Amino acid sequence: MKDDKWKTLVVILVGSFMTTLDINIVNVALPKMAASLYVDLGTIQWVVTSYLLVISTLVLMFGRLADIKGKRIIYQNGFLVFSVGSLLCALSKTMYFLIGARLIQGLGASMMMACNFGIITMIFPLKERGRATGILGTVVAIGTMAGPPLGGFLVGNFSWQSIFLINIPIGVCAYLAGVKLLPHDKILDSNKNFDFKGMITFVISVLALFLSLLNGEAFGWRSIPILIGFLLFIVSFITFCIIEINTEVPMLDFRLFKNKFFSAGILCAFISYCVIYFTNIIQPFYLQHILSFSPQKAGFIMMVYPVTAAIMAPISGVLCDKIGYRIPTFVGLAFTCIGIFTMSYLKLDSSYLAIMISMTILGCGYGLFQSPNNAGVMSSVPKDKLGISGSMNSLIRNLGMTSGISISVAIFYSYMGGKLGSHVSALSSGNPELFVTSMSLTYKVGSVIAIAGIIVAFMRLLRKTELEE
């Protein structure tokens, strides 16, 4: 039985690696896709956006379905749906067909993302859970790290279709392995109905929020479409909350948030992802356009962060098993704050070493925080809520990433536009001094947000859970 749980973990790791890899591997192929399908780069970005939108809107639904129907059947069939979507992506001849195929691929990814933490929590005892989630964190970091170079190799030597074709044999083999290895979970919610009203209002609210955040800078934050989008989000989310509170069997049980450890963990996760993704858009432009690094050199520096995170994740998992999750999460958020703060002092003449040190600190923060926090969140809920709790983790990750990118770019543009006296909507190297000043302010705001997370983690540190007593 001991060997079986580790074999099962391998199946979970394969799914997590595939779904994370496909968020990043596509980026490097976008120019070739655009040329092949005769669309501009602005249009081809929907290949990335559509995938993330489906995951964000449906992951909570599949988490709830996993609690009703079983995590095994949802996760296992996620491999098949993902593989079918990958095949259709490779066969795409038009932009609309490709986006449709990416929607199917995102459907399969959301099925797997909704269940991975739940299955790990189900099969691993508390004393080994941190180690298992630490390994999962390493694989996620490797998937993030491997996406661009692997995509570049495949596109350079074959075609853009190859980045989707490699998923098919892996997905099919993982599905067959899952048939044998995934556990038959005891379904505690099998007689309960699914909350369709809650699902519809939730999907509308998330779509409205994400589309508004993703397009706010392009349309203008005060433009009519963006304001309508945010208004639609507010109305639909309030409606969702009312439905959930008054439904006998809600899709999202708000009683979970009465658990202070669950709520604190979810809030800390959002802050962590939000702060880390402050660097996602600005840093590549700083390295290539301001410091005039080659794409290869810039890519090497950017890899420091995921490599450090991949090294630290299993270490933090072992620490979590030995001393609990509260101290590692607090220290991890502290490192995140220090990392983004040191990056705010990068200048026009910053050394190669200074940049790498600041990104190493940021990577340490991510690696130390994520695995223990995930273990803490999943350990704080009853077994019949593992599916919905795991999907909440995935949803918060996507929301944090999207919010981090949107907030950082909005701060950057607003400050630069204020200094220039005109609207700015593109990251330009025309004024290097102003670029660096705007970047510094943006990263300092990120460090302030991180401090809020540190405070929440510290308050959780002072309290004891029943499991740790």
Side-chain angles (χ1 to χ4, degrees):
M1 289 296 291
K2 290 184 178 180
D3 291 336
D4 287 344
K5 65 186 176 186
W6 292 105
K7 290 177 181 177
T8 302
L9 179 62
V10 172
V11 179
I12 303 299
L13 297 179
V14 171
S16 299
F17 178 78
M18 288 173 60
T19 53
T20 306
L21 182 74
D22 259 63
I23 294 175
N24 300 281
I25 197 173
V26 171
N27 293 336
V28 73
L30 292 179
K32 280 201 171 184
M33 287 183 186
S36 174
L37 299 173
Y38 304 104
V39 297
D40 57 39
L41 289 178
T43 304
I44 203 67
Q45 285 290 342
W46 279 99
V47 174
V48 177
T49 305
S50 59
Y51 181 76
L52 290 174
L53 280 176
V54 172
I55 293 173
S56 301
T57 53
L58 297 183
V59 68
L60 205 63
M61 179 192 77
F62 282 117
R64 180 61 185 144
L65 283 175
D67 287 332
I68 297 174
K69 301 296 182 182
K71 286 171 279 295
R72 171 193 171 99
I73 189 171
I74 300 295
Y75 190 89
Q76 187 174 307
N77 286 310
F79 277 117
L80 285 184
V81 176
F82 188 85
S83 299
V84 170
S86 298
L87 176 61
L88 293 175
C89 286
L91 296 175
S92 299
K93 300 297 181 183
T94 68
M95 181 64 188
Y96 292 113
F97 191 94
L98 178 58
I99 291 177
R102 282 288 278 177
L103 293 175
I104 296 173
Q105 201 180 31
L107 181 69
S110 62
M111 293 169 73
M112 289 185 278
M113 286 186 180
C115 301
N116 51 10
F117 288 117
I119 295 176
I120 288 175
T121 305
M122 185 173 67
I123 63 175
F124 282 92
L126 182 63
K127 292 184 178 180
E128 295 180 345
R129 208 167 288 161
R131 193 181 313 168
T133 55
I135 295 172
L136 179 63
T138 299
V139 169
V140 169
I142 293 173
T144 302
M145 175 179 61
L150 179 58
F153 171 79
L154 291 172
V155 173
N157 290 279
F158 303 101
S159 65
W160 64 263
Q161 288 88 345
S162 61
I163 66 175
F164 299 112
L165 289 173
I166 62 169
N167 292 325
I168 299 170
I170 299 174
V172 172
C173 290
Y175 172 81
L176 295 175
V179 172
K180 181 178 180 181
L181 296 174
L182 287 177
H184 292 276
D185 43 332
K186 183 180 180 181
I187 303 171
L188 303 176
D189 252 356
S190 59
N191 295 322
K192 296 184 178 179
N193 297 321
F194 184 74
D195 176 20
F196 286 100
K197 291 180 180 179
M199 181 199 73
I200 293 170
T201 51
F202 178 79
V203 168
I204 293 173
S205 64
V206 173
L207 279 175
L209 176 62
F210 273 62
L211 289 174
S212 299
L213 289 173
L214 291 168
N215 294 290
E217 205 56 50
F219 284 88
W221 292 103
R222 297 180 181 178
S223 65
I224 296 300
I226 300 303
L227 292 176
I228 291 175
F230 281 123
L231 179 62
L232 179 60
F233 159 69
I234 293 171
V235 172
S236 56
F237 184 73
I238 291 174
T239 305
F240 168 72
C241 293
I242 293 172
I243 291 172
E244 298 306 281
I245 291 172
N246 293 283
T247 299
E248 184 179 351
V249 188
M251 185 175 78
L252 176 58
D253 191 345
F254 279 89
R255 288 176 296 182
L256 287 173
F257 294 100
K258 291 182 179 180
N259 184 322
K260 295 180 180 179
F261 297 99
F262 175 83
S263 299
I266 290 295
L267 179 57
C268 286
F270 172 81
I271 292 173
S272 174
Y273 279 107
C274 180
V275 170
I276 286 170
Y277 270 75
F278 260 54
T279 67
N280 189 266
I281 300 294
I282 299 173
Q283 198 66 9
F285 279 85
Y286 167 71
L287 295 174
Q288 295 184 54
H289 290 185
I290 304 302
L291 300 186
S292 300
F293 288 174
S294 66
Q296 291 84 355
K297 189 174 183 179
F300 176 75
I301 293 175
M302 294 294 288
M303 283 181 63
V304 170
Y305 157 72
V307 167
T308 306
I311 294 172
M312 293 304 300
I315 296 174
S316 69
V318 173
L319 283 173
C320 177
D321 290 337
K322 291 183 178 297
I323 63 175
Y325 64 85
R326 293 175 295 144
I327 293 176
T329 54
F330 173 76
V331 175
L333 279 170
F335 267 88
T336 299
C337 182
I338 294 169
I340 193 86
F341 187 71
T342 56
M343 290 178 73
S344 73
Y345 283 93
L346 295 177
K347 303 296 182 183
L348 292 172
D349 57 351
S350 290
S351 68
Y352 189 74
L353 181 61
I355 300 168
M356 293 185 70
I357 289 174
S358 63
M359 297 202 73
T360 299
I361 297 172
L362 195 67
C364 284
Y366 177 89
L368 282 169
F369 172 81
Q370 296 301 330
S371 301
N373 192 68
N374 290 333
V377 168
M378 298 304 293
S379 299
S380 66
V381 299
K383 290 184 177 180
D384 64 332
K385 303 298 180 184
L386 288 177
I388 197 67
S389 301
S391 62
M392 273 293 294
N393 253 337
S394 298
L395 173 64
I396 289 299
R397 179 173 66 243
N398 284 286
L399 182 58
M401 291 189 296
T402 306
S403 299
I405 292 171
S406 302
I407 294 170
S408 62
V409 171
I411 295 169
F412 184 92
Y413 285 152
S414 297
Y415 183 81
M416 184 176 281
K419 289 296 183 180
L420 294 175
S422 61
H423 178 68
V424 177
S425 60
L427 290 168
S428 172
S429 58
N431 192 329
E433 292 83 3
L434 182 55
F435 184 104
V436 171
T437 304
S438 302
M439 181 182 74
S440 176
L441 173 66
T442 303
Y443 288 167
K444 281 185 171 69
V445 173
S447 66
V448 172
I449 296 174
I451 290 174
I454 293 173
I455 293 172
V456 175
F458 182 71
M459 291 174 65
R460 182 173 62 175
L461 182 62
L462 297 178
R463 299 176 65 92
K464 286 188 176 181
T465 69
E466 293 179 1
L467 293 170
E468 291 177 317
E469 290 177 337

